[in-house]
Amino acid sequence: MPDYHDDLRLAHVLADAADAATMERFKALDLKVETKPDLTPVSEADKAAEELIRGQLQRARPRDAVLGEEYGVEGTGPRRWVIDPIDGTKNYVRGVPVWATLIALTEAAEGGYQPVVGLVSAPALGRRWWAAKGHGAFTGRSLTSASRMRVSQVSRIADASFAYSSLTGWEERGRLDGFLDLTRAVWRTRGYGDFWPYMMVAEGSVDICAEPELSLWDMAATAVIVTEAGGVFTGLDGRPGPHSGNAAASNGHLHDELLGYLNQKY
């Protein structure tokens, strides 16, 4: 089994550079923000961070392809890095510290590119999480200062903590009734949003989470981290991995019930 140690070490170097760039502009009074065609915001910091990561990858891994939220796909081949320079841009531009740079390495496999390395770095929170396929999931300041993560062992939906992003997406897709039934069935709900719920599932502090609409760069890093922590990461259709356009993550014990609620038809 490949150890991916060099790739994981490179991901940390990329995240260090991105963290420095994004933190320098966080809460800047002159931060420039534009609206993309899909009506979501993009800041100068999003673009600068992705350009920085792409430049370092070009030097360190010139044969690897890169897919990023802001600049699309560049290159071909069996290995592709997937980058979200700032996941949580709406938080970033408002000065809310819940945002992160997401870096994943994917490899060509049956069913599409599959993530084998994932790193999530949230510098404004002072947190970082990472994983490599077959080698577990970790959190800490660096590769040499880290603790291993494990999902929770909660096995009853009535005892579960459920994290989500918002109500509107579920309503727009005709899934609101099942979503609300789930919120009534669980012990606790919190709207943390973006990358954070998946990291809390991996850490065992949240048991289930889901989002109704996502892109590959939102999920590639979080998917491998959740699964390497012992959890399950699928689309709402139950397909494993980050390719369904939406996501459901759990500690594994509750996954079938989670999908059952969110796929209810009325």
Side-chain angles (χ1 to χ4, degrees), residues 1-262:
M1 178 181 293
D3 65 16
Y4 299 110
H5 182 76
D6 288 343
D7 296 310
L8 192 54
R9 186 166 51 194
L10 175 59
H12 277 272
V13 171
L14 299 173
D16 289 343
D19 286 355
T22 52
M23 285 300 291
E24 183 178 2
R25 299 298 292 154
F26 185 48
K27 296 187 178 181
L29 296 178
D30 61 342
L31 182 72
K32 294 182 176 65
V33 182
E34 304 170 6
T35 300
K36 293 192 285 190
D38 64 0
L39 302 182
T40 61
V42 57
S43 74
E44 63 183 78
D46 291 79
K47 295 180 177 179
E50 185 168 323
E51 288 170 353
L52 185 64
I53 292 170
R54 284 175 178 270
Q56 293 203 10
L57 282 172
Q58 179 59 39
R59 292 187 292 274
R61 297 288 191 275
R63 296 181 180 180
D64 293 352
V66 182
L67 167 64
E69 179 176 12
E70 307 308 335
Y71 295 106
V73 179
E74 183 178 1
T76 59
R79 288 164 47 100
R80 178 185 291 173
W81 294 84
V82 180
I83 310 299
D84 189 343
I86 299 179
D87 181 52
T89 298
K90 292 177 183 177
N91 284 343
Y92 184 88
V93 302
R94 290 297 302 271
V96 178
V98 184
W99 50 271
T101 295
L102 277 53
I103 300 170
L105 172 63
T106 64
E107 291 185 340
E110 187 176 348
Y113 285 86
Q114 298 300 324
V116 294
V117 170
L119 183 148
V120 173
S121 188
L125 294 176
R127 297 296 310 277
R128 186 175 289 187
W129 306 262
W130 63 89
K133 184 179 179 181
H135 296 280
F138 297 84
T139 183
R141 295 287 183 175
S142 67
L143 280 169
T144 56
S145 177
S147 57
R148 189 157 187 168
M149 296 190 293
R150 306 261 185 205
V151 295
S152 74
Q153 295 302 308
V154 173
S155 59
R156 296 177 65 247
I157 203 74
D159 297 329
S161 179
F162 170 47
Y164 62 94
S165 53
S166 68
L167 296 178
T168 54
W170 300 102
E171 186 172 28
E172 289 166 359
R173 287 156 190 80
R175 297 178 183 266
L176 184 60
D177 288 338
F179 173 87
L180 291 176
D181 283 349
L182 176 59
T183 66
R184 297 180 186 109
V186 298
W187 166 63
R188 192 169 191 252
T189 62
R190 285 294 182 270
Y192 298 111
D194 301 308
F195 68 93
W196 207 7
Y198 303 96
M199 299 303 94
M200 287 191 278
V201 168
E203 290 181 316
S205 52
V206 162
D207 310 302
I208 53 176
C209 67
E211 289 182 274
E213 183 180 17
L214 293 168
S215 298
L216 178 60
W217 46 77
D218 298 313
M219 298 183 281
T222 59
V224 66
I225 293 172
V226 168
T227 54
E228 285 298 316
V232 175
F233 189 107
T234 72
L236 297 177
D237 57 5
R239 183 157 56 117
H243 296 289
S244 297
N246 45 50
S250 77
N251 63 4
H253 300 291
L254 303 168
H255 207 79
D256 289 345
E257 283 187 90
L258 171 62
L259 294 180
Y261 276 102
L262 297 178

